[in-house]
């Protein structure tokens, strides 16, 4: 942690992850076909590896997971996991900013550069969150503790759908676009709700419009 890498010679390397190497050896032993033991790695220049690791470092320390599923050989995933290995244990635990108001608390659990986001909210008894709609954003609600009523109404309609959910009976509801929605804590204890969205919240373009259910 805190060290700056120096590029001495920009040679081409052939990198093979230790886990992949072990998997190849295991398969060969299991099949008893030692003629197949011809592992090959990924050919890549030192500068390319360095740039990937630098990018991982910036993104991960900004609390966003990089895109790691771009290649079938999983090279980026293996390199990222190697990078994370060297952060452990000194880098952890990582503090998460807590957003609090009169309704309860909210904090972002996971964000990634595939543009998805997971966040958790706590809601005090009797409190309602939401009363808004989205034009494009996809949201999934999942109550993990407590009990709640989720209300959804299509714009320009008077029909309201009520969904009564409990944390001890896991289920989720995906909110349609152009439907205003809210969630109310109908229990006597604090409500914990896990939310997933297909995009990272952008306060400049929130795609969130106030409208009472």
């Amino acid at each position: 942690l805190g060290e700056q890498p120096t590029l001495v010679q920009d040679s081409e390397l052939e990198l093979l992850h230790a886990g992949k190497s072990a998997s190849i050896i295991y398969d060969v032993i299991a099949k008893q076909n030692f003629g197949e033991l011809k592992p090959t790695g990924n050919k890549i220049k030192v500068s390319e590896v360095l740039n990937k690791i630098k990018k991982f470092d910036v993104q991960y320390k900004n609390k966003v997971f990089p895109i790691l599923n771009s290649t079938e050989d999983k090279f980026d995933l293996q390199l990222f996991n190697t990078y994370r290995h060297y952060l452990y244990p000194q880098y952890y635990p990582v503090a998460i900013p807590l957003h609090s108001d009169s309704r309860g608390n909210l904090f972002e659990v996971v964000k990634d550069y595939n543009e998805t986001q997971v966040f958790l909210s706590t809601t005090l008894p009797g409190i309602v969150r939401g009363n808004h709609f989205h034009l494009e954003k996809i949201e999934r609600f999942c109550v993990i503790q407590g009990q709640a009523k989720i209300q959804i109404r299509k714009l320009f309609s008077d029909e309201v759908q009520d969904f009564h959910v409990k944390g001890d009976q896991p289920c989720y509801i995906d909110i349609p676009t152009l439907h205003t929605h809210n969630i109310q804590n109908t229990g006597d204890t604090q409500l914990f709700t896990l939310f997933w969205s297909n995009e990272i919240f952008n306060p400049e373009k929130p795609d969130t419009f106030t409208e009472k259910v």
Side-chain angles (χ1 to χ4, degrees):
L1 289 173
E3 296 183 19
Q4 294 298 321
T6 302
L7 181 60
V8 177
Q9 183 175 343
D10 195 12
S11 303
E12 185 176 73
L13 306 174
E14 186 173 359
L15 299 180
L16 181 65
H17 189 265
K20 186 176 181 180
S21 176
S23 178
I24 293 171
I25 294 172
Y26 176 84
D27 288 342
V28 167
I29 294 174
K31 295 175 183 177
Q32 290 293 299
N33 189 349
F34 295 95
E36 295 183 5
L37 189 57
K38 298 177 181 179
T40 57
N42 291 76
K43 292 183 178 180
I44 187 170
K45 298 189 74 173
V46 174
S47 58
E48 294 179 79
V49 176
L50 177 58
N51 288 335
K52 283 179 179 289
I53 293 174
K54 283 183 173 180
K55 187 175 181 180
F56 290 161
D57 188 62
V58 169
Q59 294 177 339
Y60 190 60
K61 289 179 179 176
N62 281 329
K63 299 180 175 64
V64 185
F65 277 94
I67 296 175
L68 301 169
N69 57 354
S70 57
T71 57
E72 292 184 5
D73 58 20
K74 297 184 179 180
F75 177 77
D76 284 355
L77 175 63
Q78 293 162 349
L79 184 64
F80 178 67
N81 281 335
T82 302
Y83 156 78
R84 289 195 305 118
H85 169 80
Y86 285 97
L87 292 181
Y88 181 83
Q90 295 90 345
Y91 182 68
Y92 304 97
V94 179
I96 299 177
L98 186 65
H99 307 283
S100 302
D101 58 28
S102 59
R103 298 169 296 177
N105 301 318
L106 184 145
F107 58 89
E108 299 167 342
V109 182
V110 180
K111 293 188 287 188
D112 67 61
Y113 279 100
N114 285 318
E115 293 300 306
T116 67
Q117 179 174 11
V118 177
F119 53 99
L120 179 75
S121 77
T122 65
T123 307
L124 299 174
I127 295 295
V128 178
R129 286 184 178 274
N131 282 321
H132 58 236
F133 66 92
H134 311 292
L135 299 179
E136 297 178 335
K137 183 182 299 186
I138 304 170
E139 281 189 329
R140 172 170 291 186
F141 286 23
C142 180
V143 169
I144 58 175
Q145 184 175 313
Q147 64 183 49
K149 178 173 68 174
I150 296 172
Q151 293 186 304
I152 302 175
R153 177 178 63 82
K154 186 178 181 179
L155 296 183
F156 311 112
S157 169
D158 294 328
E159 183 179 357
V160 177
Q161 298 288 342
D162 290 350
F163 299 91
H164 297 272
V165 294
K166 295 181 179 180
D168 56 2
Q169 297 174 349
C171 64
Y172 64 80
I173 296 174
D174 291 341
I175 308 299
T177 54
L178 298 174
H179 285 64
T180 186
H181 50 278
N182 66 33
I183 180 168
Q184 179 180 3
N185 184 346
T186 56
D188 299 324
T189 60
Q190 196 163 217
L191 174 70
F192 289 79
T193 311
L194 194 69
F195 300 90
W196 173 88
S197 174
N198 70 308
E199 62 182 36
I200 295 174
F201 180 75
N202 181 353
E204 296 182 0
K205 297 180 180 179
D207 186 14
T208 301
F209 303 90
T210 301
E211 174 76 16
K212 283 190 176 182
V213 175

